[in-house]
Each structure stands twice: as C-alpha cells, then as structure tokens.
Amino acid sequence: MIRGVIRQIHLWAGIALCVPLVLLGLTGSLLVFEDELTGIFTPPPPVAVGDAKPVSAVIAAARAAAPAGFVTQSYIAAPPKGLATVRLIPPRRGGEKASAAAARPGGEMLRISVDPVSLATYTNPAEGFLRQVFYLHTNLLLKTREGRQLVGWLGVVMLIMGISGLVNWLPRPNQWRNGQWRRAFAVRRGARGFLLNRELHGAAGIWGLVVFVVVSFGGVELAFPETVRAIVNVAMPARDLRAGAAAIKVEPQRGAEPMAIDDAIALARSQVPDADLRFVFLPMRPDQPIRVALSRAGQERREPTATVFIDPWTRRIVDTYDPRQYSAGESLLAWQHAIHAGQGLGPIWKVLVFFVGFLPLLFSATGLAMWWLKRCRRAVVDAAADAIVDPVYTARRAGE
C-alpha cells in the first residue's frame, strides 16, 4: 500500500515537473564548466606584464570607469594572469532598502574588470549567454528572491524523487532470496521497449543516487540557508554564520579617518599566514567592518574561505571565521556551495556532478516512455476484454 502511494507520487511529480527539473539539470551541468567555457568563448583581454598595483588603485580605477554615484561593494582578486573584478551598486534611492535590493540577484549591480597591472578597465557584459544560463539555473530567469525560492522547492522535489526512486527500485523480498537483485544494477542485453526503459531508469538512478541527492541538497541549502541550518543544527550544532557576520558592528570614531583598504588586507593576512586574497567586502555603512576573505594554498573557487572582520576605525581585528575551527555542522553547510558546483573534491567529483545534471533528462525520457507504453498496453488489454465480453453478454441476452 505504502509502496504504491510512493510510486504514484514519484510518477506524477516527475510528469508534472519534468520540464523545469530537466532545465535545472542541464544548466547545472553547463555551469560546472563555467570557467572553462568562459575562457573559450569569451576569453578575457591579455593582462599586461609587470607588478600588480595595490588593491586601492584597482578599486579607484573601477570607480573612475563607473557612472557617477555608484558605490563600491566588493573586490574580487584576480586569478593568475587574469583580471580583478570590482562590483559596484547604484546610488541609494530610498535608503538602505534600495541598496539591499540592488545587491539581490538580478539587481542593478555593475561589474567592472580591471587589469591589476595596467589598470585598464572593462565593463563585463551583463547579459551574456552564460550569465543567462546562471539566472535560469538559480532563479528561472525571474531574478528575484521568489525565483530563487522556487528553484529551492524544485530542489526539494529532486530530493523527494531521489528517495522515492530508491524505494521503488528496492527489490522485493523474494528477489533478494533468489539473487535476482543483481539485475537491478544493470540493463540486460537484448532488453527492449518497457523493460529497457525500466531497467535503464533504475540502473542510472541507483548508480547516480548519492551524487544526485548530495547535489540536490546543496541546491536546497543555497535557496533556504536558514531553514537547512536549523535542521542540521538538531543533529550537528552549527552557528548561523551569515547572521553572525551581519551582526558584527563597529563604532565610528569622530574625526578619524577609516583604515586604508591595503592596510586592512595586510592586517588580515597577518591573521591567516600563507593565504591568498580572495575577495574584500567594503562597508556600506560607517558601523560595518571590512571583511577580507583569504584562501589557503590549493583551494578552489567557492571553497570555504577564512574571513577576517576588521574595524577600520580602531585598526584592529574584530573577529575571524576560519573553516579549520568550524564545527562538523558548520563545515557541512560551508561546503555546500562548492560541492553543488562540482568544486573542492577534485576532478572526479566535477565530472560526476556534470553527468548527474543529465539524469533528470534521462529519468524524464524513460519515465514518460514507461508511462505511455503501460497506457498503450492497458488499452490493448481492455479492448481485448471488451471483444470477449460483448459477444458473451449478447448471447446471454438472446437466450433470456
């Protein structure tokens, strides 16, 4: 009874939501190799030869290239032989809420790439193909918080599909006893029609289940970080690092000049030796600290970074969030972005995440084929039954 209900949920959820689930899977596979594809199709301009200028000079060059009134929000360090990126938001209209709205997905944020040697600037194309793929994957092109939450709910559906699919796949007790369970892991040679689709559906699902569930969970966490943290916190205590970072405040000093950005970076590096600068978040208000993120040797993009919070008025470190000091729950949550994007666990994981993005397409094709073939077979059986019953019924009536 329960297994039948689960089978129906699995079937109709898959049929009703196959199109958005397939889109999320395919766009996710594409974004796994976003950096490589960007380098192939839109290679950045060559970087000048020489020593890199200070971060303050790079930010100043970006400000000069931006429209009047734009405020610097963050600095992203240049990769080897690449360009640095400075993100700016438009002038505040309506106060803090307007500034926050500009920083949301799809807001009016401006990205300017800067050659760290020559200080030449390039305004990034906001509506390039890969950027649209990113918006499609993260918020279905809605570019709003609601769009991101909708994608999060689709991630919940993927988790349900994975768990219900496992229940449907599990061999029955007699199959375990007879050793027939081995067939559930493969597609038999010569399988055709309904049998081929069923075995392909099940075998692909069981072999890709772990990666599929892990990647889907990461997508849910990115959409609903507070909710997922509260759930994880039940089993593995985890601080709300986002809320904690937002709550850190500093006291502006009347008549004092805030700390220069280059000095803040040097101070942060003294706290995390032998680390490279990843990005800097500049304060949007006088009571906010400077946030400097540093990555240790060998870390990939999106891996958890050490973040140092610096009071620009007193020129001291207020707090440090170091992944090496995270609890198990905090580490689990901090790694979700990298794992979801196929980063941080080596090239094999990256390839696995790429192929898992094609599973919704495979599941939809084989699932719809099974549903349609079963309907056709049922129609043939019903027609045959009608052909037998009608003459019998007519003969009985004739003899009455």
Side-chain angles (χ1 to χ4, degrees):
M1 175 65 179
I2 296 177
R3 193 162 182 167
V5 172
I6 293 175
R7 185 180 295 111
Q8 291 300 311
I9 293 174
H10 187 86
L11 169 65
W12 293 110
I15 291 176
L17 298 173
C18 64
V19 173
L21 295 181
V22 168
L23 285 176
L24 287 185
L26 295 180
T27 53
S29 291
L30 197 60
L31 291 174
V32 166
F33 291 99
E34 180 182 8
D35 294 339
E36 292 82 353
L37 292 173
T38 299
I40 293 173
F41 295 108
T42 55
V47 178
V49 178
D51 296 330
K53 300 293 192 300
V55 172
S56 57
V58 174
I59 293 176
R63 283 176 174 167
F70 270 67
V71 180
T72 307
Q73 184 213 46
S74 59
Y75 164 88
I76 303 174
K81 299 181 180 180
L83 303 176
T85 302
V86 179
R87 297 188 294 193
L88 306 98
I89 59 176
R92 296 182 182 181
R93 300 185 183 92
E96 194 173 314
K97 291 183 179 179
S99 182
R104 291 201 301 265
E108 300 177 49
M109 183 181 293
L110 178 65
R111 294 172 176 81
I112 295 180
S113 296
V114 183
D115 185 327
V117 176
S118 67
L119 299 183
T121 58
Y122 309 90
T123 301
N124 293 339
E127 303 300 329
F129 172 71
L130 286 176
R131 195 66 185 168
Q132 294 305 310
V133 171
F134 171 80
Y135 285 139
L136 180 59
H137 185 76
T138 56
N139 50 54
L140 296 179
L141 298 179
L142 298 177
K143 302 182 182 181
T144 61
R145 183 182 299 275
E146 290 73 20
R148 182 177 290 272
Q149 291 177 346
L150 179 57
V151 169
W153 282 113
L154 290 173
V156 173
V157 171
M158 284 191 174
L159 285 175
I160 294 173
M161 297 294 285
I163 296 171
S164 60
L166 174 62
V167 174
N168 294 335
W169 171 87
L170 287 172
R172 298 186 181 279
N174 64 318
Q175 293 175 314
W176 288 106
R177 289 192 296 267
N178 299 333
Q180 296 178 0
W181 58 269
R182 295 183 182 88
R183 297 178 180 177
F185 288 90
V187 179
R188 280 174 282 183
R189 183 178 300 176
R192 297 289 185 273
F194 181 88
L195 181 63
L196 173 62
N197 284 281
R198 186 182 67 182
E199 293 190 347
L200 185 59
H201 193 95
I206 195 61
W207 286 109
L209 179 65
V210 173
V211 180
F212 182 81
V213 169
V214 169
V215 172
S216 299
F217 177 81
V220 174
E221 193 278 334
L222 292 173
F224 306 113
E226 296 86 0
T227 303
V228 173
R229 189 203 64 82
I231 295 172
V232 171
N233 190 56
V234 174
M236 296 184 290
R239 295 171 295 167
D240 191 340
L241 297 177
R242 298 172 189 240
I248 296 176
K249 303 296 180 185
V250 299
E251 185 67 31
Q253 305 293 316
R254 181 175 297 178
E257 285 292 327
M259 189 179 195
I261 188 66
D262 297 311
D263 295 337
I265 294 171
L267 180 58
R269 278 178 164 159
S270 69
Q271 180 73 2
V272 188
D274 302 323
D276 297 322
L277 178 65
R278 181 67 64 84
F279 58 83
V280 181
F281 275 102
L282 283 75
M284 295 289 98
R285 299 192 309 267
D287 65 343
Q288 290 180 329
I290 299 173
R291 288 192 289 167
V292 181
L294 303 164
S295 60
R296 293 184 169 91
Q299 283 190 305
E300 295 183 43
R301 189 164 67 96
R302 295 192 180 95
E303 285 189 43
T305 58
T307 303
V308 183
F309 299 82
I310 298 174
D311 185 339
W313 305 102
T314 61
R315 292 168 168 77
R316 66 182 181 87
I317 295 174
V318 179
D319 202 351
T320 301
Y321 284 2
D322 192 337
R324 293 184 175 180
Q325 300 171 357
Y326 287 173
S327 68
E330 291 163 359
S331 296
L332 173 67
L333 296 174
W335 270 92
Q336 290 309 307
H337 194 184
I339 291 175
H340 182 77
Q343 296 181 343
L345 298 180
I348 294 178
W349 177 256
K350 189 169 188 173
V351 172
L352 288 175
V353 173
F354 171 78
F355 281 114
V356 159
F358 289 89
L359 285 182
L361 177 61
L362 176 64
F363 292 152
S364 297
T366 54
L368 286 170
M370 285 189 290
W371 173 73
W372 180 253
L373 290 171
K374 187 178 290 187
R375 281 178 58 90
C376 293
R377 185 169 60 185
R378 187 179 297 119
V380 171
V381 172
D382 291 344
D386 290 342
I388 295 172
V389 170
D390 284 350
V392 173
Y393 177 75
T394 303
R396 286 179 178 174
R397 289 295 302 270
E400 290 178 356

